[in-house]
Amino acid sequence: MAKSILQDRQRALLQQEKQLAIDLASCLENFEGGEPYEKTLRQVTASLDDLFLLVIVGEFNAGKSACINALLHNEVLEEGVIPTTHQVTILRHGEEQSQHMLAQDILEMEYPAEFLRDISIVDTPGVNAILQEHQRLTEEFVPRSDLILFVTSTDRPFTQSEKSFMERIRAWGKKVIIILNKIDLLRSPEELQKITTFISHNCQQLLGFQAEIFPVSAVQAQQARQAVGHQAVELWERSRFGKLEEYLFETLDARERVRLKLLSPLGVMQRLLDQTRGSVEERARLLTEDARTVTNIENQLSFYREDMERNFKHRLTEIANVVLEMRQRGDYFFDDTIRLRRILDLVQGDRIRHEFEREVLGDSAARIEHAVQEMIDWMVEQEHHFWQNIMEYIERRREVSLRRDDNMIGAVSRQFDYNRRLLLQSVSHTVTGVIQTYDQEAESTQLAEDMRNTVAQAVITGAGGIGLGALIVAFMGTLAADVTGIIAGIGLLLVGYGIIPLRRKQAKKAFDEKMQELQQRLTSAMSEQFRKELQNSLNRIEDAIAPYTRFVRSEQQKTTEIQARIGQLNNTITTIKNEIEKG
């Protein structure tokens, strides 16, 4: 921008915009998906120090090059009925006419036109459905413009493709002036009025802005330059080109050009910010769904724990009932055995012991072992079933995610989308692998061994490699020996009838204490092992989904931070715009 026309306040605004561009670039760098915007942002930032940029756009054969030649008062650019502009051409002031390539597809021409000292003109390839590469070049250059001259023609006024292109231009926040070329083809002023009304109405209704329209004939303007006398004056007036020049070189004075120059990059940055915000919001919605998936799995883990603990208590009751039945049989045994009429049997320890083991202990050890084994099988089956539920849930989530993400490429960055898919796939493969390699028999065997060792530590020491049932028998064997000793002692200590009820009471009490001890030790040992195995099961599932969980939570945090930065940048843009509009 020409520094001489800048006031101190405008220079301050210019510096604010440059800092805003730096802040926006930093925001885009920290957001996967902002990479395509960085080139545009760099170009727009660089254009702040350039001359006022007047960009001419429109479909081929609308007369863009002819209009520029009319402004230059010479046939500087090639004209034709077929696409003749194959690259972006930048016209700048030079002492003599020359040209050279600045970059691929960008040609710089110098020409000694006085107005080019303050304004650079850009001629762009025609935009249409046939030459897509030409349209790409034009659309890439539009964000750098300070003012757009949109050239349409009376033979094809404001076509659908022109309307679509105009929408994309307006999305950049650019000021657009419409040039209606080839008015020399019309037969009456009424036809011209009809066309200008049509264009104005469509701009207002479809694009939401009040169009400034300049009807011209570039051909007649050029003919006027070559004619002389009255004919030259008549052709120039009929071309109506003077009003366009008056606007460009007088109405669009230095102050207005500075205002548009300062507003132009803000419109681009607003567009980039809006696109980024849309992408971030879409990502936030997607992450909310992912977080809901994680929360649902965590809730299922909690429900799984509650269900398992509740059912475990029920299964412990089955074992407690076995012990209770022994206690009841023990009471009956002592009442029936420790009597005076069986005094001779009481002194025969082996006989009493055999009766005790047969009538009281019976198959209790086997029943307890069976109940424990059923509990183990139940735990293994429940874990396996829960893994299957988790896998099915994740697979459903993956299917929905894949269908949705196929429609979201562009709205959400490909890297983010790839990371999500990869993590969902990884979790799904992990869970599937667990299920496919899950050997219920081996799991049951291992859990039974763990349970046996735990019970051995709690119930009896030095048990070696014997089974759970043998552990219970060993414990009960010591109990039988204790009880037999008490009963046999009756024969040795018998001194009267009163000793028998006392000894019976002592035996029943000792037996009851042993049963309570057995139940307490079994309950404690199995509860300890159950809690350990349940926690291990939950840990395995949590570990399987942990990468996905961490990804979702970290991305949510990052998204929240970016949303806050976008809000701050948006406020800054609004503030600078208001300052510029104050004049």
Side-chain angles (χ1 to χ4, degrees):
M1 188 186 300
K3 302 296 184 182
S4 59
I5 64 175
L6 285 178
Q7 302 174 1
D8 291 341
R9 178 173 164 276
Q10 292 166 335
R11 290 193 183 94
L13 289 172
L14 181 64
Q15 292 304 315
Q16 289 180 40
E17 289 193 19
K18 290 182 177 179
Q19 183 58 52
L20 176 62
I22 293 172
D23 294 340
L24 178 55
S26 175
C27 180
L28 296 178
E29 286 175 1
N30 294 325
F31 178 64
E32 301 88 345
E35 297 85 357
Y37 307 148
E38 293 176 6
K39 178 181 178 182
T40 299
L41 186 59
R42 287 196 303 271
Q43 291 174 338
V44 170
T45 304
S47 71
L48 282 169
D49 294 320
D50 203 351
L51 290 177
F52 187 85
L53 208 58
L54 182 66
V55 177
I56 317 296
V57 299
E59 293 190 344
F60 79 88
N61 204 31
K64 299 189 306 300
S65 297
C67 287
I68 295 175
N69 286 336
L71 288 173
L72 296 173
H73 300 178
N74 200 352
E75 294 184 6
V76 178
L77 301 179
E78 182 181 1
E79 302 177 34
V81 295
I82 61 172
T84 55
T85 304
H86 303 288
Q87 70 274 314
V88 171
T89 302
I90 304 176
L91 284 153
R92 303 186 187 277
H93 182 269
E95 297 303 324
E96 57 183 27
Q97 185 173 346
S98 63
Q99 65 181 46
H100 62 279
M101 296 298 296
L102 282 180
Q104 184 180 9
D105 300 323
I106 299 180
L107 174 67
E108 183 177 69
M109 296 185 67
E110 294 184 351
Y111 188 77
E114 190 63 25
F115 72 87
L116 290 178
R117 293 183 183 276
D118 298 319
I119 298 175
S120 294
I121 295 179
V122 178
D123 185 25
T124 59
V127 290
N128 53 40
I130 299 175
L131 301 172
Q132 292 295 328
E133 179 63 18
H134 288 184
Q135 180 159 325
R136 182 190 66 79
L137 291 172
T138 299
E139 291 189 353
E140 285 184 358
F141 217 87
V142 164
R144 300 167 61 179
S145 65
D146 298 311
L147 177 67
I148 299 285
L149 292 188
F150 190 95
V151 181
T152 186
S153 61
T154 58
D155 54 345
R156 293 182 304 167
F158 211 63
T159 63
Q160 180 60 39
S161 60
E162 286 180 324
K163 170 187 168 295
S164 298
F165 184 58
M166 181 77 80
E167 286 178 331
R168 293 193 290 275
I169 293 175
R170 290 285 296 172
W172 289 108
K174 299 297 181 180
K175 182 176 177 63
V176 180
I177 301 298
I178 297 178
I179 298 177
L180 177 61
N181 193 23
K182 302 183 182 180
I183 61 173
D184 53 291
L185 300 179
L186 301 178
R187 293 171 295 182
S188 67
E190 289 75 21
E191 286 186 351
L192 176 59
Q193 181 62 43
K194 184 178 179 180
I195 293 174
T196 55
T197 301
F198 170 77
I199 295 174
S200 178
H201 177 76
N202 277 278
C203 286
Q204 185 66 53
Q205 295 297 317
L206 302 179
L207 301 176
F209 77 102
Q210 185 65 47
E212 293 183 73
I213 305 173
F214 290 88
V216 301
S217 170
V219 170
Q220 290 178 333
Q222 292 182 74
Q223 290 173 349
R225 302 296 183 190
Q226 299 170 359
V228 293
H230 177 74
Q231 183 184 17
V233 174
E234 182 180 354
L235 282 171
W236 180 251
E237 290 179 352
R238 284 165 53 190
S239 75
R240 301 178 68 167
F241 216 82
K243 291 185 178 180
L244 177 61
E245 287 190 343
E246 180 182 348
Y247 174 82
L248 292 178
F249 306 139
E250 295 181 21
T251 304
L252 199 65
D253 58 12
R255 179 172 179 174
E256 180 63 11
R257 291 200 302 272
V258 170
R259 191 183 74 87
L260 291 177
K261 186 74 176 178
L262 291 172
L263 286 174
S264 179
L266 294 179
V268 174
M269 287 188 275
Q270 185 70 67
R271 166 76 180 278
L272 297 180
L273 205 58
D274 290 343
Q275 289 180 328
T276 303
R277 180 192 291 110
S279 180
V280 171
E281 289 176 351
E282 186 60 50
R283 179 181 296 194
R285 285 191 289 271
L286 191 60
L287 286 168
T288 297
E289 295 176 11
D290 289 332
R292 189 177 297 116
T293 297
V294 172
T295 299
N296 286 340
I297 293 176
E298 291 174 344
N299 288 339
Q300 290 301 312
L301 287 170
S302 178
F303 293 144
Y304 173 66
R305 179 191 290 275
E306 292 175 4
D307 289 344
M308 291 293 287
E309 289 176 345
R310 181 170 54 255
N311 287 318
F312 175 73
K313 291 178 181 178
H314 173 71
R315 292 177 179 274
L316 274 182
T317 302
E318 295 178 6
I319 297 174
N321 288 337
V322 175
V323 178
L324 178 61
E325 291 175 9
M326 279 196 296
R327 293 174 65 179
Q328 292 172 344
R329 292 196 301 270
D331 280 348
Y332 177 80
F333 174 81
F334 291 125
D335 287 339
D336 184 64
T337 303
I338 305 179
R339 293 181 176 276
L340 184 61
R341 60 182 175 80
R342 297 197 60 185
I343 192 64
L344 296 178
D345 296 331
L346 293 177
V347 296
Q348 299 181 37
D350 290 341
R351 179 177 178 180
I352 293 298
R353 178 171 181 166
H354 291 318
E355 286 184 15
F356 177 80
E357 291 176 351
R358 182 181 67 251
E359 296 178 15
V360 177
L361 303 184
D363 63 348
S364 297
R367 289 175 60 193
I368 290 175
E369 183 174 27
H370 179 71
V372 172
Q373 188 59 52
E374 283 189 336
M375 180 185 295
I376 291 170
D377 293 339
W378 163 76
M379 290 175 63
V380 172
E381 181 182 354
Q382 290 300 308
E383 180 181 15
H384 183 239
H385 181 64
F386 189 58
W387 273 102
Q388 288 180 313
N389 290 340
I390 294 295
M391 182 196 71
E392 292 170 2
Y393 181 73
I394 292 175
E395 279 299 310
R396 289 195 300 270
R397 175 62 183 149
R398 280 189 67 211
E399 291 173 3
V400 172
S401 180
L402 288 172
R403 289 196 299 269
R404 179 184 177 93
D405 290 350
D406 285 341
N407 299 323
M408 286 174 50
I409 296 300
V412 175
S413 77
R414 291 183 178 273
Q415 185 61 44
F416 172 79
D417 171 70
Y418 173 77
N419 290 341
R420 279 189 66 258
R421 292 189 184 205
L422 193 65
L423 282 169
L424 275 171
Q425 184 178 20
S426 175
V427 172
S428 179
H429 283 177
T430 299
V431 176
T432 302
V434 169
I435 293 174
Q436 290 177 344
T437 59
Y438 205 91
D439 187 337
Q440 293 198 38
E441 182 177 351
E443 292 289 334
S444 295
T445 300
Q446 182 61 49
L447 185 56
E449 177 65 17
D450 293 341
M451 184 71 77
R452 190 202 69 79
N453 292 334
T454 301
V455 173
Q457 293 175 8
V459 176
I460 190 171
T461 58
I466 63 177
L468 181 60
L471 283 171
I472 305 301
V473 169
F475 178 83
M476 291 180 174
T478 61
L479 172 62
D482 292 344
V483 171
T484 303
I486 293 173
I487 296 174
I490 294 175
L492 299 175
L493 300 175
L494 185 60
V495 294
Y497 293 107
I499 197 64
I500 292 178
L502 177 61
R503 286 300 185 179
R504 182 167 60 235
K505 182 178 180 180
Q506 291 175 343
K508 292 174 68 173
K509 180 181 179 182
F511 178 71
D512 188 64
E513 290 174 349
K514 288 289 184 179
M515 289 297 97
Q516 289 183 22
E517 181 183 359
L518 174 62
Q519 181 175 336
Q520 181 180 1
R521 289 185 177 182
L522 284 173
T523 300
S524 176
M526 285 188 289
S527 296
E528 177 186 349
Q529 189 64 32
F530 168 78
R531 286 191 295 270
K532 176 183 175 182
E533 293 300 328
L534 178 60
Q535 189 59 52
N536 288 340
S537 175
L538 295 172
N539 289 344
R540 285 191 291 270
I541 296 173
E542 289 173 346
D543 289 344
I545 66 171
Y548 181 59
T549 301
R550 287 193 297 270
F551 172 80
V552 171
R553 288 171 177 165
S554 65
E555 286 296 324
Q556 280 189 312
Q557 181 179 354
K558 183 191 300 182
T559 301
T560 299
E561 292 172 354
I562 292 176
Q563 286 176 318
R565 292 194 67 185
I566 288 174
Q568 295 170 354
L569 292 171
N570 190 69
N571 291 337
T572 303
I573 289 176
T574 301
T575 300
I576 297 176
K577 275 186 177 179
N578 291 338
E579 284 294 315
I580 294 172
E581 295 294 354
K582 286 179 182 179

